[in-house]
Amino acid sequence: MLSTVQTPPRLLRSPSAAASTLRCIYTVPCCGPSRSPNSQILTARKSLLSRETSAVDLAKSFCERLRRTEPQIGSFLHVPPHETVLKQAEELDVKIKNGDRLGPLAGVLVGVKDNICTSDMPSTAGSKILENYRPPFDATAVSKLKRNGALIIGKTNLDEFGMGSSTEASAYQVTANPWDLSRVPGGSSGGSAAAVSARQCMVALGSDTGGSVRQPASFCGVVGLKPTYGRVSRYGLVAYASSLDVIGCLSSSVADAGILLAAISGHDKFDATSSRREVPDFESHFVSKDGFESKPLRGVRVGIIRETLGDGVDSEVVSAVHGAISHLEELGSILSEISLPSFSLGLPAYYVLASSEASSNLSRYDGVRYGSQSSGDDINTLYENSRGRGFGSEVKRRILMGTYALSAGYYDAYYKRAQQVRTLILDGLKDALERNDILVSPAAPSVAYRIGEKKDDPLAMYAGDIMTVNVNLAGLPALVLPCGFSVGRLPVGFQMIGSPFDEEKLLKIGHIFEQTFEGGECFVPPIL
Amino acid sequence: VLGNYEAVIGIETHVQLSTSTKAFCSCPYNYGAQPNTSICPVCMGMPGALPILNSKVIEYAVKVGLALNCKLSLSSKFDRKQYFYPDLPKGYQISQFDVPIASGGFLDVDLPVEFGGGHRKFGITRVHMEEDAGKLIHAASGNFSQVDLNRAGVPLLEIVSEPDMRTGIEAAEYAAELQRVVRYLGVSNGNMQEGSLRCDVNVSVRPLGQLEFGTKVEIKNLNSFSSVSRAIDFEISRQVLLHSQGEADQIVQETRLWEEGAQKTVTMRKKEGLADYRYFPEPDLPAVTLSDEYVGRIRDSLPELPETKRRRYESLGLGMQDVLFLANDMNVAAFFDETIATGADVKSAANWMMGDIAAYLKNEKLSINGIKLVPRELASLIAAIKTGTISGKIGKEILLELMSKGGTVEGMIEENDLVQIVDPVEIEKIVNRVLKENPKQLEQYRSGKTRLQGYFAGQAMKETRGKANPELLNKILLQRLT
């Protein structure tokens, strides 16, 4: 297969930016030192331990970049005063000086999607109904971040309650794609993807119910990792669709995604759906490419999903993904084309199931116990006013759809039917994964579109989820890596789907791909 | 009077389980605690909170299911029942819809002797697990209501009966038996006044012989077994009256409240068809799977239930009145069982417990566990009287001491020199003395007032401080008087 991927020209930098880049090469990694793999976390760790840099300096550089770029991008809904982060960094520097044991995320600046509860910062889920809401507890994933030494730089923007694919449905602000400020960053984890892309933080947590980590990763040219359902605790994730939601990772390298995943994974007694499976040592796979064999992916069976590379997919996306596929072949993998006849059924099944569960999960937002309340003379009026004013139109649309699909007389035709379709899709994917190590597809049918372009066309917006929803329906893990650009210099990502709880294989393959793809090309947007 | 009609009654009971913590979180539950002092993100329905099943709830549900002779569903699930109300924090109740943990059982009931007695077997349609809602407190002014979520998330079992009852008494006794069962099992306080046992009843009437059910009316606000009985009887009369006046169409499917003061049912709200609760399986909780081994273990651990006890007491030769008294309170039954276990005569033990002991409990407002008498000593007392060591009258006195102060029968007999006098020679001496000391009465007796025999007997008893054996005393007295 011929590769038609564009080779990106040298990145344009302003002189001052270039200087700061040279000084803080590990904070805006382009190509890292050749001995280590391309990983902000590993590079930072090395520099901190060798005292080459301090946690404070590291934090300062990110805070400064955030401050500088935020007016144009708007990734964050809440950024605590930088002093807070710097103070934590100071404490970390003391620990380093004392030779104390450090967590694997020590000094790592993390952005957290605003639908993940943080007790020391507001958590609005991008909605007015939770304006100024401060949870009384940290999500388990957040506790783990903190316990592992991470520094949370702020809460990122999202489509309200995770419902959307462009972040335009946030009740607060629109986030711009760092690659082209007139375009969407994708959604619903658009804020997290943009923040990582613009290097406002090293890594970020997002959530993925129908593709909300993977699609924005593709639009923003970053790595997006969706773990297996149950790998990461959902306790503290504001529920959208309980049987589909997962917390996922956004990063600038596969290694960083893996290290972050390891830190937040594991059984949680506060989440009955979390898995008791042991969390493998992902980090052991992130070796420098110098250590790779000549055909490091020899024998890896790659199944290309035929239905994802035909009609309805932008030709630029198709060609970029083909480029990725041929690179996989170069690395020694065995390609085959597979067909998933049930593929197109995923979208309607997803929207029925997700909306149904959402209509139930959002019933608690009534203005009585927390969040914003609009007064009323009687209880029904209070509910109507609070919910009417607090919810945006996309949320209302899905609540109504979900309520309808669950109502008497319709349950069998919609909800029950959708669950049956879900089983078909799951079986199809599982079957394909028995004959293949991974399955490959684009992460989205297009590159980032313009802000406002699909906002008034919900169905067109929904159609953009076609590549990602089946993975959620089946509960599988998936990894999205940038693999090329459109003519207009907009990133394209490709998706690798793995077997349940086999993130290890995805990360291993992803890391090898990334480290060898066009000489370790890094995707840094021109805004920097 | 029912006349040509038959009443059809079904009961829906909610039993609050006495687990240490709530159904889906680790908050404790204490009736009467200050509002909103036992809450957490889970039972408050805060964003991001998730339910975790308290395994004791399953254990208690299986116990009840087995005790009610149900078929257990080895694989069941939770469902969300959705509606909006301020005492329901999540906007849905975690319950079980189409696969309850137990179904198709029955409850054996013995109707009280004073209401005609008789044995009944009432069908149990289903038993399922669910969580309780919070409490609303309405301000007197009517301007606002307050929400107390202490009770939100407390585990409940909903027990639905088949529409097998025909009278208020049958319904009340069914409810009373359920209370007995849950108390015997130790899964609930079963207290109607505190709300740990709640009954809603459905009543309809139909002409005798008609197979079709009449219009069903639901009655709520029943706070005692007697109000269950009276409310049903009232409602039956109300419906029968309307039928007999040709106004049966005035009976509508609705919910009525029982007004204790006025002793009648009144319309609360008309049921506009069935509410749509949009049930769907609870995605946050895995399926509930029971192994045969788990069920077997619980079955083996069940205590002897009231029905079995009643049949056992019957087989001991006790009459129904005695059986019901002894078996229906598990503490009384335990006391009785322990007493007869040491060999005490069954009928004597029953008589003592139903007579002197019951009277004492009532007067002192104590329960059987509150008296100092222990079963072993009751058995001793019975034996002492049987062997003639003490008289029955002395026995009663000792009993009083034992109940209020404790101690042993043997000790008391010794201490107070209570041994019965059974030596005829001694008694004759006493009789002679009494007759000598009461010449006037003796004259009167000789002249015809034979009732004075009792007087002499009383005097003799007084002298012996009750220790003379009454039969022997009277025999000798009579001999001496004639």
Side-chain angles (χ1 to χ4, degrees):
Chain A
M1 263 182 266
L2 284 174
S3 170
T4 53
V5 177
Q6 319 278 334
T7 311
R10 283 241 154 273
L11 295 158
L12 302 165
R13 298 189 201 124
S14 69
S16 59
S20 63
T21 306
L22 283 167
R23 202 166 45 238
C24 310
I25 193 162
Y26 17 77
T27 57
V28 187
C30 216
C31 311
S34 65
R35 284 271 155 240
S36 329
N38 185 5
S39 156
Q40 288 192 57
I41 294 178
L42 291 176
T43 312
R45 193 188 288 169
K46 196 155 170 227
S47 308
L48 287 172
L49 288 174
S50 67
R51 315 297 170 89
E52 232 177 296
T53 189
S54 68
V56 169
D57 281 346
L58 205 52
K60 270 189 182 155
S61 75
F62 276 93
C63 290
E64 189 276 328
R65 194 174 312 112
L66 193 159
R67 205 179 310 138
R68 181 165 45 89
T69 55
E70 197 45 12
Q72 294 160 282
I73 301 176
S75 323
F76 287 86
L77 287 177
H78 179 81
V79 180
H82 290 316
E83 288 72 56
T84 320
V85 172
L86 293 176
K87 184 157 178 292
Q88 289 167 19
E90 259 171 51
E91 286 163 16
L92 180 57
D93 280 329
V94 170
K95 278 201 170 122
I96 296 172
K97 191 149 150 229
N98 294 340
D100 289 350
R101 219 167 141 262
L102 301 175
L105 295 178
V108 173
L109 285 310
V110 184
V112 175
K113 189 175 180 182
D114 210 24
N115 62 353
I116 298 172
C117 288
T118 46
S119 59
D120 48 1
M121 296 180 216
S123 306
T124 65
S127 178
K128 282 288 195 239
I129 211 166
L130 284 178
E131 189 163 20
N132 296 319
Y133 171 68
R134 182 79 73 92
F137 64 99
D138 278 339
T140 300
V142 168
S143 311
K144 286 181 184 250
L145 282 180
K146 290 179 177 175
R147 232 180 306 139
N148 283 294
L151 305 175
I152 299 175
I153 202 170
K155 306 299 294 295
T156 60
N157 196 20
L158 66 157
D159 285 299
E160 191 178 354
F161 284 107
M163 300 182 199
S165 311
S166 66
T167 308
E168 293 170 292
S170 165
Y172 295 98
Q173 66 202 40
V174 175
T175 302
N177 190 321
W179 290 86
D180 180 337
L181 300 173
S182 71
R183 293 180 185 263
V184 300
S188 60
S189 311
S192 283
V196 169
S197 175
R199 306 302 194 263
Q200 295 171 318
C201 54
M202 280 189 206
V203 292
L205 290 185
S207 69
D208 192 313
T209 305
S212 292
V213 161
R214 293 163 286 152
Q215 181 252 37
S218 179
F219 279 18
C220 291
V222 296
V223 173
L225 173 59
K226 176 205 170 293
T228 313
Y229 180 85
R231 179 58 98 184
V232 179
S233 168
R234 284 186 300 119
Y235 184 72
L237 170 64
V238 177
Y240 157 17
S242 314
S243 73
L244 301 163
D245 290 344
V246 300
I247 291 179
C249 309
L250 290 134
S251 61
S252 59
S253 65
V254 174
D256 287 352
I259 295 168
L260 181 58
L261 181 65
I264 62 172
S265 295
H267 177 253
D268 182 15
K269 67 178 184 195
F270 290 110
D271 177 358
T273 62
S274 73
S275 167
R276 286 179 193 274
R277 280 198 204 218
E278 253 188 66
V279 182
D281 175 21
F282 300 133
E283 215 178 293
S284 62
H285 298 290
F286 306 134
V287 294
S288 152
K289 70 181 176 192
D290 297 350
F292 292 173
E293 297 170 5
S294 62
K295 295 274 183 193
L297 294 185
R298 187 200 313 273
V300 171
R301 301 160 298 162
V302 173
I304 304 155
I305 306 174
R306 181 197 308 158
E307 286 82 4
T308 66
L309 290 167
D311 287 338
V313 186
D314 280 7
S315 56
E316 297 181 299
V317 169
V318 172
S319 68
V321 173
H322 277 307
I325 290 168
S326 42
H327 183 64
L328 286 170
E329 194 176 33
E330 279 162 26
L331 291 168
S333 48
I334 306 158
L335 307 176
S336 60
E337 195 185 62
I338 61 145
S339 172
L340 295 173
S342 61
F343 186 82
S344 61
L345 298 175
L347 209 51
Y350 168 80
Y351 273 99
V352 168
L353 293 172
S355 303
S356 300
E357 294 184 11
S359 71
S360 176
N361 286 325
L362 268 60
S363 294
R364 64 192 64 196
Y365 303 106
D366 53 15
V368 173
R369 292 168 309 293
Y370 46 78
S372 53
Q373 182 189 94
S374 302
S375 62
D377 285 337
D378 59 64
I379 190 65
N380 283 331
T381 315
L382 186 140
Y383 285 160
E384 283 167 18
N385 291 346
S386 298
R387 291 166 68 85
R389 290 179 205 153
F391 287 145
S393 61
E394 183 58 36
V395 166
K396 285 178 181 167
R397 185 173 297 121
R398 298 201 195 186
I399 290 174
L400 289 171
M401 281 181 2
T403 308
Y404 183 84
L406 289 175
S407 55
Y410 296 102
Y411 176 88
D412 283 355
Y414 291 111
Y415 188 85
K416 193 167 168 196
R417 194 82 166 136
Q419 287 284 47
Q420 290 167 334
V421 168
R422 184 178 189 168
T423 307
L424 275 180
I425 289 168
L426 168 65
D427 288 344
L429 284 165
K430 273 224 166 112
D431 189 60
L433 284 165
E434 255 151 48
R435 295 171 278 114
N436 294 278
D437 291 294
I438 56 166
L439 306 177
V440 164
S441 78
S446 73
V447 292
Y449 39 83
R450 296 207 188 274
I451 292 171
E453 190 178 314
K454 301 203 193 208
K455 196 166 181 216
D456 296 323
D457 192 352
L459 289 181
M461 182 94 69
Y462 297 167
D465 295 336
I466 183 115
M467 301 299 177
T468 47
V469 291
N470 289 12
V471 173
N472 298 84
L473 290 168
L476 301 173
L479 180 64
V480 164
L481 303 183
C483 64
F485 292 90
S486 68
V487 171
R489 299 283 302 134
L490 298 167
V492 177
F494 82 107
Q495 170 175 240
M496 298 193 295
I497 305 166
S499 297
F501 296 101
D502 204 357
E503 292 87 358
E504 199 173 6
K505 189 184 286 178
L506 281 177
L507 289 166
K508 189 170 172 205
I509 295 171
H511 175 70
I512 291 169
F513 175 97
E514 176 197 74
Q515 296 296 299
T516 55
F517 189 56
E518 294 179 340
E521 182 57 56
C522 35
F523 286 69
V524 180
I527 193 172
L528 298 176
Chain B
V1 179
L2 267 184
N4 304 323
Y5 296 92
E6 175 185 56
V8 175
I9 302 153
I11 303 186
E12 213 176 88
T13 308
H14 285 89
V15 175
Q16 209 174 58
L17 298 179
S18 55
T19 52
S20 339
T21 59
K22 295 183 178 182
F24 301 113
C25 65
S26 53
C27 293
Y29 176 64
N30 299 304
Y31 179 76
Q34 283 293 299
N36 294 313
T37 49
S38 195
I39 54 176
C40 74
V42 177
C43 54
M44 272 194 77
M46 305 209 79
L50 295 170
I52 303 293
L53 181 59
N54 177 347
S55 59
K56 270 280 186 242
V57 175
I58 304 280
E59 191 187 305
Y60 285 13
V62 171
K63 279 189 172 166
V64 171
L66 291 173
L68 296 179
N69 308 290
C70 294
K71 269 179 302 296
L72 292 177
S73 205
L74 292 183
S75 180
S76 66
K77 62 177 167 64
F78 288 100
D79 300 289
R80 291 188 184 179
K81 178 179 181 179
Q82 315 202 70
Y83 61 96
F84 287 93
Y85 206 59
D87 65 2
L88 195 67
K90 297 186 290 295
Y92 58 85
Q93 175 197 38
I94 299 179
S95 176
Q96 293 189 292
F97 176 51
D98 52 337
V99 191
I101 191 160
S103 59
F106 59 87
L107 187 62
D108 284 297
V109 170
D110 282 304
L111 298 179
V113 171
E114 57 267 33
F115 291 112
H119 185 94
R120 297 280 186 278
K121 211 184 192 80
F122 297 127
I124 303 280
T125 313
R126 54 184 279 156
V127 178
H128 75 251
M129 303 175 282
E130 60 183 31
E131 57 175 346
D132 210 345
K135 262 203 197 128
L136 287 181
I137 299 154
H138 305 288
S141 65
N143 287 340
F144 61 92
S145 299
Q146 295 167 301
V147 185
D148 173 15
L149 294 177
N150 280 349
R151 204 182 63 176
V154 170
L156 298 175
L157 283 184
E158 181 174 319
I159 302 170
V160 181
S161 82
E162 290 288 321
D164 287 349
M165 298 87 180
R166 296 285 171 267
T167 66
I169 281 299
E170 287 187 356
E173 199 51 37
Y174 164 87
E177 185 69 8
L178 270 187
Q179 182 189 63
R180 262 168 234 134
V181 169
V182 301
R183 286 180 175 177
Y184 263 70
L185 293 173
V187 301
S188 170
N189 297 332
N191 196 318
M192 278 191 88
Q193 287 71 26
E194 280 181 10
S196 47
L197 186 87
R198 298 168 220 162
C199 288
D200 298 328
V201 305
N202 288 302
V203 182
S204 67
V205 301
R206 63 185 173 189
L208 274 172
Q210 182 182 299
L211 285 172
E212 223 175 66
F213 288 135
T215 307
K216 192 167 65 166
V217 172
E218 184 185 28
I219 308 173
K220 282 180 167 318
N221 196 37
L222 303 167
N223 297 320
S224 65
F225 299 134
S226 60
S227 49
V228 166
S229 178
R230 279 179 277 117
I232 288 172
D233 288 342
F234 174 88
E235 185 58 23
I236 293 172
S237 308
R238 185 186 79 90
Q239 293 189 17
V240 167
L241 185 65
L242 287 172
H243 264 273
S244 63
Q245 287 171 347
E247 292 171 336
D249 55 344
Q250 287 219 24
I251 304 169
V252 292
Q253 186 168 347
E254 59 167 339
T255 301
R256 293 174 77 87
L257 289 177
W258 170 248
E259 283 189 352
E260 191 63 37
Q263 291 283 299
K264 59 180 186 153
T265 63
V266 295
T267 301
M268 175 182 158
R269 55 168 181 259
K270 299 243 189 292
K271 262 195 167 127
E272 304 120 358
L274 288 162
D276 181 7
Y277 292 112
R278 299 192 301 285
Y279 286 99
F280 74 100
E282 170 59 77
D284 289 330
L285 294 170
V288 178
T289 313
L290 310 172
S291 68
D292 288 325
E293 187 253 350
Y294 175 82
V295 173
R297 239 187 306 132
I298 293 182
R299 199 193 301 270
D300 292 341
S301 78
L302 291 180
E304 186 187 40
L305 292 172
E307 168 66 10
T308 314
K309 232 184 250 299
R310 290 193 292 261
R311 302 285 74 84
R312 178 162 65 84
Y313 289 177
E314 250 189 332
S315 72
L316 290 175
L318 292 169
M320 249 353 246
Q321 188 107 28
D322 294 9
V323 165
L324 293 181
F325 178 89
L326 294 169
N328 282 348
D329 178 318
M330 75 187 215
N331 295 316
V332 169
F335 196 100
F336 178 72
D337 280 335
E338 220 186 303
T339 305
I340 62 176
T342 59
D345 174 56
V346 168
K347 193 61 183 150
S348 305
N351 288 342
W352 280 109
M353 290 185 69
M354 290 179 65
D356 287 55
I357 296 177
Y360 181 80
L361 294 179
K362 188 159 172 219
N363 282 341
E364 304 298 317
K365 295 197 188 8
L366 291 171
S367 71
I368 190 100
N369 290 341
I371 57 173
K372 300 236 164 54
L373 171 72
V374 295
R376 198 178 352 106
E377 290 309 316
L378 177 58
S380 293
L381 186 72
I382 293 169
I385 295 171
K386 197 158 174 188
T387 59
T389 308
I390 51 170
S391 67
K393 190 157 179 291
I394 297 284
K396 275 184 191 259
E397 288 171 23
I398 293 179
L399 183 72
L400 208 51
E401 278 286 305
L402 290 172
M403 285 195 290
S404 59
K405 301 210 183 80
T408 63
V409 171
E410 202 179 305
M412 236 163 259
I413 291 176
E414 242 181 68
E415 242 175 74
N416 300 306
D417 182 33
L418 298 173
V419 178
Q420 196 170 214
I421 303 171
V422 294
D423 180 9
V425 172
E426 265 230 52
I427 290 186
E428 200 169 331
K429 280 199 199 138
I430 295 160
V431 166
N432 288 338
R433 204 162 37 238
V434 165
L435 292 180
K436 200 154 121 204
E437 285 167 5
N438 295 280
K440 203 157 121 207
Q441 287 81 356
L442 188 55
E443 273 277 343
Q444 288 174 323
Y445 181 89
R446 290 267 156 77
S447 48
K449 281 200 170 152
T450 53
R451 272 176 34 226
L452 283 170
Q453 175 180 351
Y455 172 76
F456 295 126
Q459 291 297 90
M461 275 303 195
K462 211 158 100 188
E463 235 194 74
T464 62
R465 284 182 298 122
K467 290 192 288 184
N469 179 284
E471 290 86 29
L472 203 52
L473 171 63
N474 275 301
K475 183 160 149 229
I476 293 174
L477 187 58
L478 209 55
Q479 279 176 353
R480 289 289 292 107
L481 287 171
T482 48

